[in-house]
Amino acid sequence: MENLIALKTNRIPWALKIRGVLTILVAIFIGVWFLTPLVLITISAFASPRDYYQIEKVIPTHFTVEHFHALFFELEGWQAMLNSLKVVGLTILFSFTVGLPASYALSRYKFRGKSFLKLSMLASRMFPVMILAIPLLIIYMKIGLSDTIYGVALAHTIMVLPLIILVSASILASVSVDYEEAAMIFGLSRIHAFLKITLPLALPGLVASAILAFIISWNEVFIATILNLTNRTLPAHIFRSAMDSPDYFKFTAGFIMSIPAVIFIFFVRKHLVTMWGISLK
Amino acid sequence: MTNVTIRGLCKYFDRVKAVDNLDLEIKAGEFIVLLGPSGCGKTTLLRCISGLERVTAGRVFFDDHDMTYLSPKGRDISMVFQNYAVWPHMRVEKNIAFPLKVKKFPQQEIKKRVAWASDLLRIEELLDRYPAQLSGGQRQRVAVARAIVVEPRVLLMDEPLSNLDALLRVRMRSEVKKLQQKLTVTTIYVTHDQVEAMTMGDRIAVFNQGMLQQVGISDVIYHNPANTFVAGFIGSPQMNFIEVEIESINNELYLRTKNLTIPLNDKFKAKVSEHSGIRNYILGIRPEHIYLTGQSKTYPVTKGKVYFLELLRSDTIIHLETEFGFLVVKEPGDLKLEENREIEVSFDLNRIHLFYEDTGNSIMT
Ligand SMILES: Nc1ncnc2c1ncn2[C@@H]1O[C@H](COP(=O)(O)OP(=O)(O)OP(=O)(O)O)[C@@H](O)[C@H]1O
Ligand SMILES: [Mg+2]
């Protein structure tokens, strides 16, 4: 009798165990799928040229940081990286100063043509950047914005703005309007209520949408290449110089490209899950 | 102390008339209760008074100042929200202190008041928790504490005790009432709990479907309801309504329906004779004003079969099946009646209400 119960109670944990193992396997598979390129890039980025070109050596054993030195200092990668960080920073700044009020309006007010407005914002993203780039360059040259950090940042702002507005609107909408109204009752103006109450509550989600802006702007190469000749951003710089270089240089460049994004995302990753206001605790 | 005057206030949401042409005068320092069923527009009215909602038409005055289009910030009010709206990113203490900080009270005074309010609402132990770590009732008390720490011109409370257990609710009722008397702040208190309304309000304003049905002291609301809605909404169990006709027998006027003949009380006679025979009437009588015959000397009226008994121990609610429908009778104490037994009951003639059938209005108004 006792054995029977033991058998019965054992059966369920087995099923659960199998499911657990399967879950882990799937997780490992996904992890490997996404991480392998990153690992390969990292290894190749540090590989000494001799190891890299030795066909029979799958995994290099001699490592060097010379490529980094070369890329950063001899090929002026350092300057390009700084430019990129500036462009990204400005893009986030611009897109939030313009986008946040817009997303607030979308999240809090009902008005005519609201859904059309949302749709048309997305439509502007459907316009290919290739077509945009040349006229933009001409306009920039006329107003003296060409070959400047601000010019690229503005162009990137246009690219990320619709996304920032729509994502932030849904994040702000997830913060109950009651909190804001309560603050207004107790003596704050609407703008203060927004700054003191809604903004802190929405911050995790807004940080997540800032990641979006970061990634888009950091990786954007086409506009950045066309608009700027001397003040190139990192991807544009790599596009121009590293592509003519030996392969291991490309990997080094790829590694440098991915590092800031990885660091940035690492610091804000816990906010990612709250992106759609699923959890505000 | 501030008196609040509401004139011709309307608030429509598309086709929903949440508040419809409301006139109400609330005296300075008065505790007025807004009572009505769910969805009748109580919250909407509070939001119009607070300035959170733009009115469709009408005016709101505090004393002689027109507040209709002023933002909430400029109105110097406090509010307990129906869903609390306690800020989740602030600890309880910070929540309660917030209105004081906004009004730039000195640090010392803020401490004192927060301590006082949290003591009054019994939430001292919760001061350094986040709202997410509180139960619904605790959160509600935080919301009340936050509303009373400042002395506002007008205090608005939207069902502030709805989530407390029965014991705490009764205690809080008296605490809130006493507090209001001490502060003499004009208070508008929303509830759909009639006991709360009866015990707390200086006056009660009864609403239905966005319209004010009657406003007055609890005594008047209970004994002289203006229409069948108020009569039916106030009192538990509900008032009995019986359709009757007026008949003249030997030059005496009677209210009649099947198996029921009631002599018309003098106070109704003048009203009825003005338009006798034209209109149909509804007789209303509260369960507590019907007696088992033998226990009272009033007019014996009708018979009925016991259909169902509710034994509340303090009272017994008897559901009688009569020829003109069900009749609910409330008798004090434990009663032993077997079902299906025929009993006789009599109506207290002085406690009979009479309404027009078409409008539902009391014929006394
Ligand atoms: N923002 C709104 N948009 C549309 N209709 C609304 C809105 N707010 C309230 N209403 C409607 O107005 C009416 C009154 O709502 P209100 O919230 O004032 O009721 P209430 O008396 O407070 O009810 P309860 O006792 O359930 O809280 C309801 O029919 C409701 O559906
Ligand atoms: Mg309500």
Side-chain angles (χ1 to χ4, degrees):
Chain A
M1 188 65 204
E2 251 165 49
N3 275 344
L4 253 177
I5 292 172
L7 261 177
K8 270 188 183 161
T9 46
N10 262 348
R11 216 164 269 159
I12 302 160
W14 263 116
L16 277 181
K17 258 182 207 164
I18 290 171
R19 219 169 65 180
V21 169
L22 277 179
T23 312
I24 289 169
L25 283 180
V26 170
I28 288 174
F29 176 75
I30 294 174
V32 168
W33 181 272
F34 281 102
L35 288 179
T36 307
L38 209 63
V39 171
L40 285 181
I41 287 175
T42 310
I43 290 174
S44 307
F46 288 95
S48 71
R50 196 142 30 97
D51 273 19
Y52 183 83
Y53 283 118
Q54 219 168 327
I55 293 292
E56 57 273 22
K57 226 177 197 174
V58 179
I59 294 171
T61 45
H62 295 92
F63 296 99
T64 173
V65 290
E66 238 168 70
H67 321 321
F68 288 88
H69 193 268
L71 252 183
F72 270 135
F73 299 106
E74 282 152 39
L75 292 171
E76 291 169 338
W78 190 240
Q79 189 55 44
M81 188 161 192
L82 225 69
N83 284 344
S84 255
L85 285 175
K86 278 186 203 158
V87 167
V88 168
L90 284 173
T91 301
I92 292 178
L93 182 74
F94 291 160
S95 57
F96 272 88
T97 13
V98 178
L100 218 49
S103 53
Y104 181 82
L106 284 178
S107 71
R108 288 288 186 259
Y109 296 101
K110 268 196 271 181
F111 51 87
R112 255 166 191 282
K114 182 164 145 182
S115 37
F116 174 75
L117 205 66
K118 279 186 176 177
L119 210 69
S120 60
M121 270 183 232
L122 282 178
S124 77
R125 284 287 283 144
M126 280 154 35
F127 213 34
V129 272
M130 336 272 164
I131 298 175
L132 231 88
I134 303 300
L136 201 59
L137 177 62
I138 292 168
I139 295 171
Y140 272 12
M141 278 159 81
K142 278 188 188 152
I143 59 176
L145 265 181
S146 68
D147 208 8
T148 63
I149 301 296
Y150 295 97
V152 182
L154 272 180
H156 285 182
T157 302
I158 293 166
M159 288 176 63
V160 301
L161 197 54
L163 248 100
I164 295 294
I165 291 176
L166 294 180
V167 171
S168 304
S170 94
I171 287 159
L172 290 181
S174 76
V175 177
S176 167
V177 68
D178 300 327
Y179 298 134
E180 219 168 284
E181 290 182 339
M184 284 161 70
I185 288 284
F186 291 113
L188 292 189
S189 61
R190 186 174 280 280
I191 178 110
H192 272 115
F194 175 77
L195 293 176
K196 278 248 165 83
I197 305 291
T198 313
L199 202 56
L201 284 172
L203 203 59
L206 294 179
V207 166
S209 65
I211 295 181
L212 262 183
F214 185 105
I215 291 171
I216 293 175
S217 170
W218 181 260
N219 289 327
E220 199 286 322
V221 60
F222 191 83
I223 294 247
T225 309
I226 289 189
L227 290 183
N228 284 14
L229 275 178
T230 52
N231 284 320
R232 287 221 149 128
T233 61
L234 191 59
H237 186 66
I238 290 169
F239 187 65
R240 194 194 56 171
S241 48
M243 286 305 133
D244 304 330
S245 323
D247 277 352
Y248 49 84
F249 253 47
K250 293 176 192 163
F251 282 112
T252 310
F255 182 76
I256 293 172
M257 274 298 295
S258 61
I259 283 307
V262 169
I263 292 174
F264 186 72
I265 290 171
F266 182 81
F267 278 113
V268 294
R269 86 203 128 116
K270 71 165 191 275
H271 299 314
L272 266 176
V273 281
T274 63
M275 178 120 162
W276 301 103
I278 295 158
S279 140
L280 274 169
K281 283 174 190 172
Chain B
M1 287 208 282
T2 306
N3 61 23
V4 178
T5 310
I6 297 159
R7 273 208 214 118
L9 189 81
C10 295
K11 177 67 200 181
Y12 301 161
F13 296 106
D14 296 324
R15 243 159 275 127
V16 181
K17 296 184 173 179
V19 178
D20 200 8
N21 198 14
L22 173 75
D23 287 297
L24 188 60
E25 185 105 23
I26 300 158
K27 295 182 216 91
E30 188 178 22
F31 192 115
I32 192 163
V33 174
L34 308 183
L35 181 65
S38 184
C40 70
K42 307 180 294 289
T43 298
T44 307
L45 175 56
L46 278 201
R47 289 173 58 84
C48 288
I49 296 172
S50 70
L52 289 174
E53 206 79 66
R54 174 70 61 90
V55 303
T56 308
R59 310 238 141 230
V60 176
F61 296 91
F62 287 4
D63 291 330
D64 294 330
H65 302 290
D66 188 345
M67 294 282 170
T68 316
Y69 296 106
L70 205 64
S71 72
K73 180 181 183 239
R75 299 195 186 199
D76 194 9
I77 48 178
S78 263
M79 185 157 165
V80 181
F81 286 76
Q82 188 168 11
N83 48 6
Y84 327 139
V86 175
W87 299 300
H89 61 304
M90 297 182 192
R91 291 176 196 278
V92 168
E93 180 168 19
K94 226 179 143 201
N95 258 287
I96 301 174
F98 191 88
L100 298 168
K101 284 212 183 100
V102 171
K103 302 223 160 80
K104 303 219 161 58
F105 277 64
Q107 201 59 42
Q108 209 55 36
E109 182 69 14
I110 292 180
K111 271 224 175 87
K112 222 176 76 193
R113 287 191 180 214
V114 170
W116 164 79
S118 52
D119 173 55
L120 187 77
L121 288 140
R122 290 159 228 267
I123 46 174
E124 304 109 309
E125 306 91 64
L126 310 176
L127 282 181
D128 45 64
R129 291 213 206 155
Y130 281 103
Q133 301 162 326
L134 302 179
S135 74
Q138 291 169 332
R139 234 171 284 171
Q140 195 163 35
R141 279 179 280 160
V142 174
V144 175
R146 181 178 64 180
I148 60 172
V149 280
V150 277
E151 281 156 35
R153 291 179 78 178
V154 180
L155 178 58
L156 307 170
M157 300 209 222
D158 201 346
E159 309 196 13
L161 308 181
S162 61
N163 244 327
L164 306 184
D165 63 77
L167 210 66
L168 191 57
R169 189 181 315 180
V170 171
R171 202 160 57 193
M172 281 301 146
R173 261 183 219 152
S174 53
E175 294 286 7
V176 170
K177 178 73 183 163
K178 261 193 237 153
L179 177 76
Q180 189 270 343
Q181 282 166 344
K182 208 177 88 195
L183 302 179
T184 58
V185 53
T186 311
T187 303
I188 306 175
Y189 186 104
V190 165
T191 181
H192 53 227
D193 178 343
Q194 45 167 310
V195 181
E196 212 163 281
M198 289 288 174
T199 51
M200 296 178 81
D202 295 330
R203 280 192 308 159
I204 300 170
V206 184
F207 281 83
N208 189 33
Q209 300 189 341
M211 279 183 288
L212 181 63
Q213 305 291 316
Q214 188 174 10
V215 55
I217 58 170
S218 60
D219 189 43
V220 171
I221 299 276
Y222 180 81
H223 289 295
N224 297 312
N227 55 36
T228 47
F229 176 81
V230 177
F233 193 72
I234 304 283
S236 170
Q238 206 186 28
M239 183 184 277
N240 294 291
F241 293 110
I242 306 160
E243 278 181 42
V244 291
E245 280 162 8
I246 294 195
E247 238 172 65
S248 168
I249 305 170
N250 302 334
N251 280 335
E252 278 292 325
L253 289 175
Y254 290 89
L255 298 168
R256 272 186 58 85
T257 179
K258 285 180 212 149
N259 195 27
L260 179 70
T261 309
I262 299 173
L264 198 62
N265 202 317
D266 287 338
K267 68 177 177 182
F268 295 132
K269 272 184 186 148
K271 298 276 182 179
V272 166
S273 53
E274 282 167 20
H275 32 240
S276 51
I278 311 164
R279 300 173 89 162
N280 291 326
Y281 298 87
I282 292 177
L283 176 156
I285 180 130
R286 296 192 186 280
E288 53 268 44
H289 299 144
I290 306 177
Y291 311 107
L292 298 184
T293 41
Q295 291 183 347
S296 106
K297 291 175 219 77
T298 42
Y299 201 83
V301 201
T302 192
K303 273 193 283 206
K305 222 163 54 175
V306 178
Y307 180 74
F308 180 60
L309 278 186
E310 288 178 64
L311 300 170
L312 308 178
R313 300 306 162 198
S314 57
D315 303 296
T316 305
I317 314 286
I318 311 160
H319 296 251
L320 282 181
E321 206 176 354
T322 68
E323 278 179 47
F324 48 86
F326 281 97
L327 198 62
V328 180
V329 180
K330 182 170 163 185
E331 285 287 329
D334 264 339
L335 270 188
K336 295 213 165 41
L337 288 171
E338 56 274 23
E339 282 174 14
N340 289 327
R341 193 178 128 189
E342 284 254 314
I343 57 170
E344 267 196 338
V345 289
S346 59
F347 292 8
D348 187 336
L349 291 185
N350 294 318
R351 301 297 189 95
I352 282 175
H353 307 268
L354 210 53
F355 307 96
Y356 296 119
E357 199 212 1
D358 45 0
T359 59
N361 289 334
S362 166
I363 75 163
M364 298 308 291
T365 51

